Amino acid sequence: MAKGATAATGRAAFTGLALVDGTVGLAMAPRGRLSVVLVFAFTDGLITEIDVLAEPERLGRLEIAVLDN
């Protein structure tokens, strides 16, 4: 997990809080092109699951609304 988190730090500048199909998530779009979406599941206020979506076909089917920070 730590390796994956460290690898993602370079993408942080291109990442924003978003609603992904109505669920809280993060959308990474370097150079304005959506490349990775993380969707979070919560239980009792804690993150219990993280889905990482990166397949172009699947990304194209998502409904994404960027949230103001």
Side-chain angles (χ1 to χ4, degrees):
M1 189 72 152
K3 248 187 205 182
T6 301
T9 58
R11 294 182 284 228
F14 308 107
T15 302
L17 188 59
L19 281 181
V20 181
D21 291 338
T23 302
V24 175
L26 294 173
M28 297 177 191
R31 294 181 227 65
R33 297 187 65 166
L34 186 63
S35 62
V36 178
V37 171
L38 281 69
V39 180
F40 302 95
F42 297 89
T43 301
D44 297 326
L46 300 172
I47 296 172
T48 55
E49 186 176 327
I50 302 172
D51 287 331
V52 179
L53 311 171
E55 297 171 354
E57 283 186 27
R58 192 161 179 200
L59 291 174
R61 293 191 305 262
L62 297 175
E63 183 176 322
I64 299 175
V66 177
L67 302 174
D68 292 332
N69 293 340

